[in-house]
Amino acid sequence: MTHARKFFIPCRLPGLNDIIKASKVRKGNWSGYAEMKSLYESMIKTDIRKAKLTPCTGLVRILLHWVEPNARRDFGNIRAGEKFISDSLVSLGILKTDARSQVVGFRDTFSVDASNPGVWVTLEEVQS
């Protein structure tokens, strides 16, 4: 038996190409990637709080349904935004860790909807 928790992030997250580009921007101690990470994690945490999720105590599989506004980005590029999601879940205490000791895997699906892009995230607690 599984127990699932679900929430929606109503925006297109940065892809791998965006993350790489931002990581190359530096000015003193300022990093473009750090600014990007902070901005998106703040938005994601707001969506998690709205969903009123309770902490996951057991093993978890993370299901991600990526809704893109068009079919231009490839799947590997799209799913890089997962790091912002898992770090936000850990930061809020929904997950103890995003390491293999709690997260047993991911399942990604993809669709296109120009009027409602975003990511559906389901945390599926699984038996060991």
Side-chain angles (χ1 to χ4, degrees):
M1 181 175 170
T2 61
H3 180 273
R5 294 163 177 84
K6 188 173 188 173
F7 64 97
F8 183 67
I9 302 165
C11 72
R12 180 179 181 255
L13 295 180
L16 184 57
N17 295 338
D18 304 314
I19 292 168
I20 291 169
K21 183 177 179 181
S23 71
K24 294 178 181 179
V25 176
R26 298 202 57 81
K27 185 174 183 181
N29 291 332
W30 178 85
S31 161
Y33 172 72
E35 182 178 16
M36 172 189 280
K37 186 173 182 348
S38 176
L39 171 69
Y40 281 94
E41 286 184 13
S42 176
M43 293 179 353
I44 292 166
K45 287 176 187 178
T46 297
D47 299 322
I48 293 169
R49 286 184 190 105
K50 285 180 189 174
K52 298 180 180 176
L53 302 180
T54 57
C56 298
T57 56
L59 299 175
V60 174
R61 180 177 302 109
I62 301 176
L63 312 177
L64 300 155
H65 182 72
W66 303 90
V67 183
E68 288 283 293
N70 54 53
R72 292 184 189 142
R73 297 197 303 175
D74 63 78
F75 298 142
N77 189 15
I78 294 166
R79 84 159 321 280
E82 181 281 322
K83 185 63 177 159
F84 300 130
I85 298 169
S86 59
D87 285 354
S88 297
L89 289 164
V90 171
S91 177
L92 289 176
I94 304 303
L95 296 178
K96 292 177 191 173
T97 179
D98 58 356
R100 293 180 184 200
S101 59
Q102 185 170 27
V103 178
V104 300
F106 298 88
R107 186 176 314 137
D108 296 283
T109 54
F110 304 86
S111 65
V112 174
D113 182 347
S115 63
N116 197 28
V119 187
W120 283 101
V121 181
T122 303
L123 305 175
E124 184 179 70
E125 285 196 274
V126 297
Q127 299 294 332
S128 56

